Amino acid sequence: HDLASILAFQSGVFETQGELDRALQFRRDSLEILEQLAAENANSSRFQNDYATGLDHLAAALQLLGRNEEAVRESQRSLEVTRRLADLEPNNLRVNANLRAAHCRLGEQAMALGQMDKAAAYFDAYESLSQAALDRLGQDSSIRRDWAVSRYKRYEFEKRLTEQPGASREVQLSHWRRANAALAECHDEFIKLRTEGRLTSGDQAVPEELAAELRACEQAIDRIQTSAG
């Protein structure tokens, strides 16, 4: 397991240096060890989680090389591992967080490939899982943040749909309004988290960034309404 961690670390070093092919090979070598450990420890959530994470890292390395369809396959394998874990340990917070992240990642990948129906399904699942976690553990800051991110992903998805070729003004306006509603919810939750002193230092400026996107979103709606009037 230590060797897998060392290989993964070295892969990260190669990525920062722009040596993406070498980084990919180190990711593969690390994953091979993690896969073997997962097979030998089928009932260990730790080793299964590590294997799923290794698959995610391999997917990210493939994406950096523009090999997006291969990246999707690895992300789907990661989702399958995480789903099995979630079925076995439904109350494991780390597993559930990984399950939400897996759906989010696959939604992003599908959207990048222009596969909007698939992206919608993954983002729907991400939102549903995030809402369920919020309903159960609404005072947990990380879960509240994750829920807010799920709303941001919905905003990105709806915004992307406004750019679809041939979309009528009415269709564009509908998608912009949905995007605006989702973004407003995301913004409001980040404001609450910051007011309560629950945002990390890296997230302190997020509410202002979201506010700027909200203004741009509202301006887009105004433009469409004005042109229709």
Side-chain angles (χ1 to χ4, degrees), residues 21 32 37 39 71 74 78 102 129 137 146 158 165 182 187 209 221 229:
D21 288 314
E32 185 177 341
L37 289 170
E74 300 304 335
S78 174
L129 290 166
L137 300 161
D146 202 21
E158 294 293 342
H187 171 262
E209 294 168 1
I221 291 172

Side-chain angles (χ1 to χ4, degrees), residues 103-203:
H103 282 94
C104 178
R105 186 165 42 253
L106 279 160
E108 292 172 332
Q109 290 171 336
M111 192 161 65
L113 290 169
Q115 299 170 347
M116 302 307 285
D117 288 342
K118 288 183 178 180
Y122 284 124
F123 285 138
D124 285 348
Y126 178 35
E127 284 185 44
S128 178
L129 290 166
S130 297
Q131 185 63 56
L134 187 68
D135 291 342
R136 289 196 311 272
L137 300 161
Q139 296 307 307
D140 186 294
S141 300
S142 64
I143 287 176
R144 288 173 62 186
R145 184 188 186 282
D146 202 21
W147 177 84
V149 171
S150 78
R151 303 309 294 140
Y152 187 81
K153 293 302 171 182
R154 175 59 58 181
Y155 153 72
E156 288 187 320
F157 176 76
E158 294 293 342
K159 182 181 176 184
R160 176 71 177 273
L161 288 176
T162 69
E163 303 165 1
Q164 294 290 90
S168 68
R169 190 160 45 202
E170 291 76 14
V171 169
Q172 287 182 333
L173 184 58
S174 175
H175 287 306
W176 272 119
R177 283 173 172 161
R178 289 178 195 155
N180 186 70
L183 185 59
E185 288 183 319
C186 174
H187 171 262
D188 290 350
E189 190 60 36
F190 268 95
I191 287 288
K192 290 176 187 175
L193 286 167
R194 187 169 68 180
T195 301
E196 295 167 13
R198 296 189 174 199
L199 280 189
T200 64
S201 58
D203 279 344

Side-chain angles (χ1 to χ4, degrees), residues 12-86:
V13 172
F14 285 135
E15 285 175 0
T16 60
Q17 294 174 344
E19 298 183 56
L20 301 183
D21 288 314
R22 293 187 72 186
L24 176 62
Q25 186 55 56
F26 273 72
R27 288 292 181 197
R28 290 194 189 281
D29 292 343
S30 176
L31 181 63
E32 185 177 341
I33 296 170
L34 295 174
E35 185 173 17
Q36 182 179 342
L37 289 170
E40 293 171 353
N41 299 273
N43 296 320
S44 167
S45 60
R46 175 197 172 192
F47 286 111
Q48 300 304 317
N49 258 319
D50 287 346
Y51 176 42
T53 300
L55 288 165
D56 291 336
H57 288 162
L58 178 58
L62 287 163
Q63 277 187 287
L64 287 173
L65 286 164
R67 294 161 63 173
N68 294 321
E69 292 184 0
E70 292 176 72
V72 169
R73 286 196 292 272
E74 300 304 335
S75 292
Q76 287 171 334
R77 289 173 65 196
S78 174
L79 176 58
E80 290 168 7
V81 174
T82 308
R83 272 179 175 159
R84 288 197 298 270
L85 267 178

